[in-house]
Amino acid sequence: MLEICHLSHAADARDGGIAIALAELIAAQQASGLSLTWLTADHFPAHRRDQRLRQEVLAAQPALIHLHGLWRSPTRIAPRLASAGLPLLIAPHGMLDPWALAQSRWKKWMVWRLWEHRALAASSCLQALCSAEVAAIGALLPQAPIALIPNGVALPDQAPAARQALPPPPWADAVPPGDRVLLFLGRFHHKKGLDPLLAAWQAVAAQAASRRWWLVLVGYGDGGALASRVAAAQVRGELPRVLVQGPCFGDDKASALAAASGFVLPSFSEGLPMAALEAMAHQLPCLLSGACNLPEAFVAGAALPAEPDAVALAASLQQLLALSPAERSAMGAAGRALVAERYSWPQVAQQTRQLYRWILGGGARPGFVELRPSLL
């Protein structure tokens, strides 16, 4: 059986949504019968990390390397892995999005010239998570074949007994019974649109209070800076009914999603956000920016637009707060149906299996692989 090596920076929250998506992809691929290894750069100390990571990859003797994320050790060693005869499939996970490239622009330009472009050019194929990412990759690498394979998500058990078995949500001691929670779940980072979200919430504070809504921000990654800012604002009498809480995983995350009444992600930049897919799987009406790359959620009636602008976002919040229970339930049902149809892990695992076979010369080009005109 051929061995596939997944290569990424980390296997925990330090790699954000990449680690979450990759862990679930690997589980689905193993269930489909693939033989897999997952190697991470953070397993080694910074000193000689690239050399030791490359040695471990070569020792695994994989048939193909599926590399996830950019700008770190995995892509630094990618050209030499390709030179050793190992086929590469690289998934940027949104890191070639124009907004993302504009952050630390000069540093990324230098790294691009030194090795990043060579790594991507050495790949047999690139994986995009959405149509917008296909366009972003194609603009930078017009010669590269691009496979469009999204992230997946597991559909939670909605039976009452399954929900009752979950622990209380993290806000159970702070939010009165019967009040509703609008949930943000993810990394506390500038790109997630948290600043305009807080400004918008302040603008709709009176309506939120009258309709008994809270904004709960559950996440990690900023060393407590967001919690401190919100606490200082509340001392000044601002940002009422806002809670900032630490990260949730496993059953605690499932509990937060099950107990929420809505979900918000007004990002400036994303690949295909796992948190949004999970929220729809849990039948939550969603507020999403266009950068979440889920236009089908708006078409299906599962989401309302939530661009990262305080004025526009305040209007979106007002729209959500005014929805009836029946309208919220209909949006949630539409989201779950969309996830079941397009974003199941077994389907994603089968697509990656087809892609690996094609890259290794053992099958026809899958229909989801786009060849650039110069390659036809």
Side-chain angles (χ1 to χ4, degrees):
M1 183 180 294
L2 295 176
E3 183 80 15
I4 305 300
C5 176
H6 287 285
L7 185 58
S8 67
H9 173 67
D12 56 23
R14 285 170 291 179
D15 217 6
I18 292 178
I20 296 170
L22 184 48
E24 296 189 9
L25 170 62
I26 288 172
Q29 289 180 328
Q30 288 174 329
S32 75
L34 281 173
S35 179
L36 306 162
T37 299
W38 184 6
L39 301 179
T40 62
D42 70 332
H43 181 69
F44 301 103
H47 177 60
R48 300 179 65 190
R49 172 176 288 169
D50 293 1
Q51 179 183 349
R52 296 182 64 183
L53 180 61
R54 185 176 70 254
Q55 290 171 344
E56 185 164 352
V57 173
L58 293 173
Q61 298 184 316
L64 180 145
I65 296 168
H66 194 164
L67 190 157
H68 303 265
L70 305 181
W71 312 115
R72 291 173 290 197
S73 289
T75 43
R76 280 200 297 270
I77 68 171
R80 295 189 65 178
L81 295 174
S83 297
L86 294 175
L88 291 173
L89 169 62
I90 298 181
H93 287 269
M95 294 183 182
L96 293 179
D97 174 84
W99 188 92
L101 287 176
Q103 312 308 304
S104 303
R105 180 178 177 182
W106 292 109
K107 181 179 179 180
K108 286 180 179 175
W109 178 85
M110 181 174 62
V111 171
W112 180 264
R113 294 288 300 271
L114 288 173
W115 70 75
E116 208 73 10
H117 182 267
R118 288 193 297 118
L120 293 165
S123 66
S124 300
C125 187
L126 296 167
Q127 179 196 349
L129 300 176
C130 59
S131 297
E133 191 172 20
V134 170
I137 294 172
L140 291 169
L141 299 151
Q143 306 299 318
I146 304 172
L148 175 53
I149 303 178
N151 286 329
V153 67
L155 288 173
D157 187 348
Q158 294 292 306
R163 295 171 69 95
Q164 291 169 5
L166 293 171
W171 56 80
D173 293 335
V175 174
D179 282 14
R180 304 181 185 95
V181 165
L182 177 60
L183 176 65
F184 169 91
L185 179 66
R187 191 157 54 109
F188 293 155
H189 187 280
H190 166 64
K191 78 169 188 173
K192 299 293 185 178
L194 291 169
D195 288 341
L197 175 58
L198 290 175
W201 185 264
Q202 177 62 31
V204 303
Q207 184 179 355
S210 67
R211 296 183 178 272
R212 299 176 65 185
W213 278 86
W214 293 70
L215 174 63
V216 180
L217 309 170
V218 176
Y220 62 94
D222 69 342
L226 179 64
S228 296
R229 287 172 48 208
V230 169
Q234 290 176 336
V235 168
R236 299 192 300 269
E238 301 168 0
L239 298 180
R241 303 172 77 88
V242 176
L243 299 175
V244 181
Q245 300 185 313
C248 290
F249 303 103
D251 285 348
D252 290 327
K253 181 171 73 170
S255 172
L257 288 162
S261 296
F263 174 83
V264 60
L265 184 57
S267 287
F268 288 97
S269 174
E270 293 284 348
L272 187 63
M274 290 294 296
L277 294 178
E278 290 170 335
M280 288 193 291
H282 279 82
Q283 301 192 87
L284 295 181
C286 292
L287 292 175
L288 305 176
S289 67
C292 290
N293 296 311
L294 282 163
E296 58 269 34
F298 303 113
V299 174
L304 298 172
E307 297 308 315
D309 168 83
V311 175
L313 190 47
S316 298
L317 287 171
Q318 288 176 330
Q319 189 175 357
L320 176 71
L321 298 177
L323 293 177
S324 69
E327 289 170 325
R328 292 197 306 273
S329 178
M331 286 183 67
R336 184 177 171 94
L338 176 64
V339 166
E341 178 186 354
R342 299 195 185 186
Y343 298 103
S344 72
W345 275 123
Q347 178 180 336
V348 172
Q350 182 58 33
Q351 288 178 313
T352 56
R353 189 172 191 141
Q354 288 180 263
L355 182 59
Y356 298 159
R357 188 182 304 119
W358 174 69
I359 292 173
L360 294 170
R365 173 171 64 90
F368 52 80
V369 175
E370 177 180 323
L371 294 181
R372 317 309 291 178
S374 60
L375 299 176
L376 296 175

